[in-house]
Amino acid sequence: EGPVVGGYTDVLVPSHLQSIFETLLRKLNISYKIQVENLADEIEQEEMSNTRAKLKAMFRSASRSPLLETFARHSQINGWISSLSSSCSFCSTFSIGKSYEGRDMLVLKMATGPNKPVVFIDAGIHAREWLAPATINFVIDQLITRYNSGDQDAVNLLDKFEVQFLPVANPDGYEYTFQAQWYRLWRKTRKPYGRCYGADPNRNFDSQFGGPSTSNNPCSDLYHGPYAFSEPETANLRDHITGEKRMVMYYSTHSYSQLWFIPYGYTRVPPPDNDEMVRVATIGNNALFRTHGIRFELGTPANLLYAAAGGSYDWAKEKAGVKYSYTFELRPGRNRGGAGFIAETDMIRPSGE
């Protein structure tokens, strides 16, 4: 199933095919506009913005980590959240397992008391979505700072829930995107499959596995893997979520398009408790609007973009029994300019706020 009729689709076209592609669109009477003239220039701008942000961080208060509001490497993120357990009285870290290439998938736990309902938040399941891990890092810092200063919203949250953060759910793929410009848009894991590498981890969960918007071609960006949970990263998430009996909320953070997805991703048929799912999501969406005047589009992937099977949040609700399970797509919004997955560091703070 393809994109929603009447909706927007971003297409990356090689320069030598641009005139042919535009001619085809005109013949088919499909309206279009060029969002980005040269994606390589945008990647260079992103790199420069990250360098500037790192330099700026050197002159910040020593109480804030220099990785905040930058696009940090996986080892830096792991090092930072590990260090928080010594400076934050209600923070601790644990590993849910290792990636295919042996990287620890560290989770930061915030618990001000025992046996509270658990909210689990992950990011970076798609390697190229740098804004998602950076946003979660910002949220972690703000939540600790505000709780310690007595901010009532932060106190209410952590007095009621235990919150767990996995900033990078696909560490091998995420690290690969930093290796060179031409790897920047890598999406999948890095487990080899013949001459190609990786499966799409958000098509690898046991929820209508192999259904719409997936591929059985290992070279495809949408390769679902040879079987559900074939990737160590998704198997680690499965084992942790199913083992965490107090989990009541699951949020998977992605970019981009400014969307708030409600299950299910693979069908237009909503879950039986759809009204409650929409009610809770609307409360959050209204809070987003009050902060920056931006309201996310709320709905199922099939109604807003396209149907997609094997997603983490569908599996969390359908198979693991996590009632409130959502996916966020952060900035930039659809058809609002920008270079999609390529984001400058000045997007991190407003996304986190």
Side-chain angles (χ1 to χ4, degrees):
E1 184 171 346
V4 173
V5 174
Y8 301 105
T9 298
D10 291 341
V11 182
L12 180 60
V13 181
S15 57
H16 66 281
L17 296 177
Q18 180 177 344
S19 61
I20 297 173
F21 187 72
E22 290 189 54
T23 299
L24 176 62
L25 292 177
R26 287 192 292 269
K27 284 184 177 179
L28 294 173
N29 199 29
I30 297 174
S31 61
Y32 69 94
K33 72 175 183 178
I34 297 172
Q35 296 272 82
V36 175
E37 288 284 355
N38 188 335
L39 193 62
D41 290 344
E42 298 294 329
I43 293 174
E44 289 180 4
Q45 287 295 323
E46 181 185 56
E47 291 175 352
M48 288 190 288
S49 82
N50 203 28
T51 299
R52 289 193 299 268
K54 290 176 181 178
L55 290 172
K56 184 179 178 180
M58 294 172 61
F59 300 96
R60 246 188 345 233
S61 167
S63 64
R64 294 194 75 217
S65 169
L67 69 72
L68 293 169
E69 298 182 62
T70 72
F71 299 124
R73 304 293 287 268
H74 180 255
S75 60
Q76 294 173 306
I77 296 171
N78 270 4
W80 174 59
I81 63 173
S82 295
S83 72
L84 291 175
S85 58
S86 62
S87 60
C88 168
S89 62
F90 52 88
C91 297
S92 60
T93 56
F94 60 91
S95 174
I96 63 170
K98 292 186 181 294
S99 67
Y100 176 79
E101 293 179 350
R103 295 180 173 90
D104 258 326
M105 296 176 65
L106 285 189
V107 172
L108 176 73
K109 180 173 79 171
M110 296 185 188
T112 60
N115 302 320
K116 296 182 179 183
V118 172
V119 176
F120 186 84
I121 302 171
D122 70 33
I125 199 167
H126 284 147
R128 61 194 177 192
E129 297 171 8
W130 285 7
L131 186 60
T135 296
I136 294 307
N137 293 340
F138 181 86
V139 170
I140 289 170
D141 175 72
Q142 289 296 296
L143 191 51
I144 293 171
T145 301
R146 294 184 183 194
Y147 183 86
N148 286 335
S149 67
D151 176 86
Q152 200 56 55
D153 288 339
V155 170
N156 289 343
L157 175 64
L158 291 179
D159 280 354
K160 184 174 183 179
F161 297 103
E162 174 184 312
V163 185
Q164 300 177 2
F165 295 94
L166 174 64
V168 185
N170 177 11
D172 297 347
Y174 180 73
E175 272 300 297
Y176 186 68
T177 62
F178 283 88
Q179 302 305 311
Q181 278 194 1
W182 46 91
Y183 302 147
R184 175 63 186 85
L185 292 179
W186 184 260
R187 172 184 172 98
K188 302 188 291 179
T189 62
R190 292 296 298 163
K191 186 178 178 180
Y193 289 102
R195 63 185 178 87
C196 297
Y197 284 82
D200 180 342
N202 210 38
R203 302 292 188 272
N204 191 238
F205 284 78
D206 186 19
S207 175
Q208 297 295 311
F209 179 80
S213 296
T214 70
S215 172
N216 59 10
N217 177 4
C219 299
S220 167
D221 262 0
L222 299 177
Y223 178 50
H224 49 52
Y227 52 88
F229 302 115
S230 60
E231 309 309 284
E233 297 82 0
T234 58
N236 292 339
L237 277 166
R238 173 200 62 198
D239 293 346
H240 175 64
I241 292 171
T242 54
E244 186 57 86
K245 303 304 182 184
R246 292 177 288 117
M247 192 175 296
V248 294
M249 297 182 182
Y250 170 77
Y251 298 98
S252 188
T253 314
H254 294 244
S255 71
Y256 62 103
S257 288
Q258 292 178 180
L259 305 172
W260 191 315
F261 286 143
I262 297 171
Y264 295 112
Y266 58 83
T267 178
R268 297 183 188 276
V269 179
D273 61 348
N274 185 63
D275 288 347
E276 174 65 4
M277 297 293 291
V278 171
R279 183 190 71 82
V280 172
T282 300
I283 292 171
N285 209 7
N286 290 340
L288 286 174
F289 184 78
R290 288 194 299 271
T291 303
H292 281 290
I294 293 173
R295 202 181 298 278
F296 282 24
E297 291 183 78
L298 182 65
T300 66
N303 288 315
L304 295 179
L305 285 178
Y306 50 80
S312 65
Y313 87 128
D314 277 353
W315 171 84
K317 183 170 181 63
E318 191 176 44
K319 299 293 180 70
V322 181
K323 180 175 178 62
Y324 298 100
S325 184
Y326 301 102
T327 288
F328 300 111
E329 296 281 357
L330 301 174
R331 296 166 183 242
R334 292 190 290 169
N335 201 37
R336 297 183 185 178
F341 302 114
I342 312 304
E344 296 193 20
T345 53
D346 59 4
M347 286 189 182
I348 297 171
R349 175 178 285 271
S351 292
E353 290 172 341

